[in-house]
Amino acid sequence: AQSVTQPDARVTVSEGASLQLRCKYSYSATPYLFWYVQYPRQGLQLLLKYYSGDPVVQGVNSFEAEFSKSNSSFHLQKASVHWSDSAVYFCALIGANSGTYQRFGTGTKLQVVP
Amino acid sequence: NSKVIQTPRYLVKGQGQKAKMRCIPEKGHPVVFWYQQNKNNEFKFLINFQNQEVLQQIDMTEKRFSAECPSNSPCSLEIQSSEAGDSALYLCASSLEGLGQDTQYFGPGTRLLVL
């Protein structure tokens, strides 16, 4: 079975603070992993993706994520958040040997406060 | 930035009515996906196409849902008889090769409300 869990439905951080959004996955092998952001009334925008190689992946807008096979995790991080980062963030996976559609977590709503 | 176009952006239907939404994938992308995002942010894959051929679809899609991607026309997703539980954001995505590592580019979605 393949699944993604985002344990934090909501996260509030102060502007300028660091951020970590958690993602845990379940899959027997190494999956393709993705992080997306969704702003109100918009579709999903890809932040970054991972399949192999360096476990730390750089993405757009200074986001990065770290893959851990031992922990089955793919946490999203940012060193210093801006108010414009307020949005809903989704983690997703594609099992390498089981089709090409994505399984999504239920998202983490990030609120950046002054 | 994604150039996937979805119309209409909002759709309001009564129970039992047909609901049809359209998607124009990014130019040159032969693979199209449809996902349903409900109010609890639970995503459900519905169907995907490569050119005009169905690649994968879930059981739900085989019943009240129909979809097609005709040549030289927008792709479409139609619900034959809408139910309250169909109220959701329907997202279309396209990709170049349909492989796992391919980036899927999402449109803004069609928000369906079934009264």
Side-chain angles (χ1 to χ4, degrees), chain B residues 66-84:
Chain B
S66 62
E68 61 176 2
C69 276
S71 177
N72 299 319
S73 293
C75 297
S76 64
L77 177 69
E78 185 170 29
I79 307 172
Q80 301 302 321
S81 178
S82 301
E83 298 175 356

Side-chain angles (χ1 to χ4, degrees), chain A residues 52-69:
Chain A
S52 63
D54 188 337
V56 178
V57 183
Q58 304 297 320
V60 300
N61 201 19
S62 302
F63 283 96
E64 66 177 35
E66 184 166 5
F67 169 72
S68 171
K69 188 171 184 177

Side-chain angles (χ1 to χ4, degrees), chain A residues 32 34 36 38 41-46 49 88 90 94 98-102 104-107, chain B residues 9-10 33 35 37 40-43 45 48 56 89 98-104 106-108:
Chain A
Y32 301 105
F34 307 83
Y36 292 90
Q38 187 175 40
R41 295 174 296 283
Q42 295 188 28
L44 301 172
Q45 298 175 32
L46 181 69
K49 62 181 180 181
V88 183
F90 293 96
I94 296 176
S98 59
T100 59
Y101 65 89
Q102 298 185 65
F104 290 87
T106 52
Chain B
R9 293 294 305 273
Y10 301 92
F33 300 79
Y35 296 90
Q37 180 185 5
N40 296 319
N41 284 333
E42 295 163 332
F43 286 76
F45 164 77
N48 63 349
Q56 291 174 286
L89 182 67
L99 302 175
Q101 65 267 34
D102 248 5
T103 296
Q104 294 181 20
F106 285 81

